[in-house]
Amino acid sequence: MSYAISLVVPFYEGNRYLDGIIKNFNDIKDNFLMINKEIDLELILVNDSPHVKVNVELLKKANFKYKVIANKKNFGIHYSRVIGVRNAENNWIIFLDQDDELEVSNFYTQVKSIDDCDGEFGVIGNGMYEYKNEEKKIFKNEKIATLSLRESSFLKIRNLITSPGQCIINKKLIPNYWKDNILKNNGSDDWFLWILIKNDGLRFKINDTIVYKHKLNKNGNYSNDYDKMHLSNIEMLTYLEKNEKFEKKN
């Protein structure tokens, strides 16, 4: 069976990460060949810093398809992800930050999991994140992973999915409300997406394998900037309150 995945990467002054992105995806493609599996990888690089041109010479090293899309100005991460989705050829999407990476040897388990995703939104994989120069599991145990499947957890606790990079999602099931109502403040667009899809009754599967590595980058990781994250959260709540389909849970 051949798998077709589009990897959407919002890009902001990110040429220093480009070698790593290409190597990561090249290695994934090579690993699939080693295990006699086929994968159609498509990279969609959305340049949200039009004042800095993408080093397209580096992209010539890629053994996969790619597109470079330039925003007319800095519109933010949510806008860039939506543009990426609208230009994706494949039906399965991964949103990846420019400085994060997929776990090469385990990535097949994430892709294989979509075989049983008929009618489901996608798969949440486990991963590692950097914390005080150490690497820790995103989901420490099965109980925490299970919480990420419940809508109430996202409404009453917090966004339990560290990054959309640990997820593979069905493009056809991404809510139009998420694509049409863009958060201008970076930080909460993925939380916004999870709440909307769960409100629609769509489900995730859990893949407990480590498939993703989240890096904390002080220069570009807005989840660590609490003031900006607060503004993004307020903006998200404003849109949710305007959404007639959103059912507030007690």
Side-chain angles (χ1 to χ4, degrees):
M1 182 175 181
S2 177
Y3 298 95
I5 313 291
S6 290
L7 301 138
V8 176
V9 179
F11 206 65
Y12 186 83
E13 297 181 355
N15 281 320
R16 64 190 181 278
Y17 302 113
L18 198 49
D19 258 331
I21 292 171
I22 295 167
K23 183 180 185 309
N24 190 211
F25 298 168
N26 278 348
D27 288 348
I28 286 172
K29 189 80 176 285
D30 291 343
N31 189 66
F32 267 70
L33 290 173
M34 287 176 59
I35 60 176
N36 296 316
K37 304 294 180 182
E38 295 183 15
I39 186 168
D40 173 14
L41 279 184
E42 175 194 34
L43 167 64
I44 302 177
L45 207 62
V46 184
N47 184 12
D48 200 34
S49 52
H51 55 285
V52 178
K53 291 184 178 180
V54 175
N55 188 344
V56 291
E57 287 298 313
L58 292 177
L59 285 168
K60 293 178 180 179
K61 301 177 183 179
N63 63 9
F64 48 84
K65 295 185 297 185
Y66 61 84
K67 296 176 184 175
V68 177
I69 300 168
N71 291 340
K72 293 181 179 179
K73 63 178 184 177
N74 175 225
F75 284 114
I77 292 173
H78 189 177
Y79 179 91
S80 298
R81 285 174 172 162
V82 170
I83 289 296
V85 168
R86 295 192 190 280
N87 284 273
E89 293 182 7
N90 299 325
N91 192 44
W92 291 98
I93 303 288
I94 296 175
F95 293 123
L96 198 67
D97 293 342
Q98 63 186 9
D99 56 336
D100 290 346
E101 63 186 57
L102 302 172
E103 182 61 48
V104 173
S105 59
N106 294 335
F107 186 66
Y108 174 68
T109 67
Q110 183 80 330
V111 176
K112 182 71 171 63
S113 295
I114 66 178
D115 286 347
D116 302 319
C117 273
D118 185 28
E120 295 181 315
F121 189 67
V123 180
I124 306 173
N126 207 344
M128 306 295 292
Y129 69 95
E130 295 179 351
Y131 180 74
K132 294 183 178 180
N133 297 320
E134 295 182 21
E135 288 190 349
K136 295 181 178 291
K137 266 189 173 185
I138 291 173
F139 297 140
K140 292 186 292 185
N141 52 50
E142 185 179 349
K143 181 179 179 181
I144 294 176
T146 302
L147 282 174
S148 70
L149 299 176
R150 300 175 184 169
E151 182 180 9
S152 59
S153 301
F154 286 79
L155 294 174
K156 296 180 179 180
I157 304 175
R158 59 178 172 81
N159 185 359
L160 295 176
I161 301 175
T162 295
S163 170
Q166 68 188 95
C167 303
I168 184 167
I169 60 181
N170 190 330
K171 180 178 71 173
K172 294 189 296 185
L173 297 179
I174 295 175
N176 287 327
Y177 194 80
W178 183 80
K179 291 184 285 188
D180 294 338
N181 294 277
I182 306 296
L183 301 185
K184 295 179 181 178
N185 294 288
N186 290 331
S188 298
D189 66 282
D190 52 333
W191 194 1
F192 187 27
L193 176 59
W194 311 143
I195 289 174
L196 288 174
I197 67 103
K198 288 174 182 296
N199 190 69
D200 284 346
L202 300 171
R203 297 169 298 172
F204 275 111
K205 288 179 59 179
I206 291 290
N207 173 21
D208 191 47
T209 310
I210 302 297
V211 297
Y212 165 80
K213 183 180 291 186
H214 183 58
K215 298 180 181 179
L216 300 182
N217 175 11
K218 293 180 181 178
N219 294 321
N221 192 321
Y222 290 93
S223 61
N224 293 322
D225 189 323
Y226 295 111
D227 290 336
K228 290 180 180 178
M229 179 60 78
H230 177 69
L231 291 174
S232 190
N233 288 344
I234 294 300
E235 191 177 5
M236 174 186 70
L237 289 171
T238 300
Y239 279 127
L240 287 174
E241 288 174 351
K242 293 178 180 178
N243 183 5
E244 294 179 356
K245 287 181 63 179
F246 178 63
E247 299 177 9
K248 295 180 180 179
K249 310 296 180 182
N250 295 324

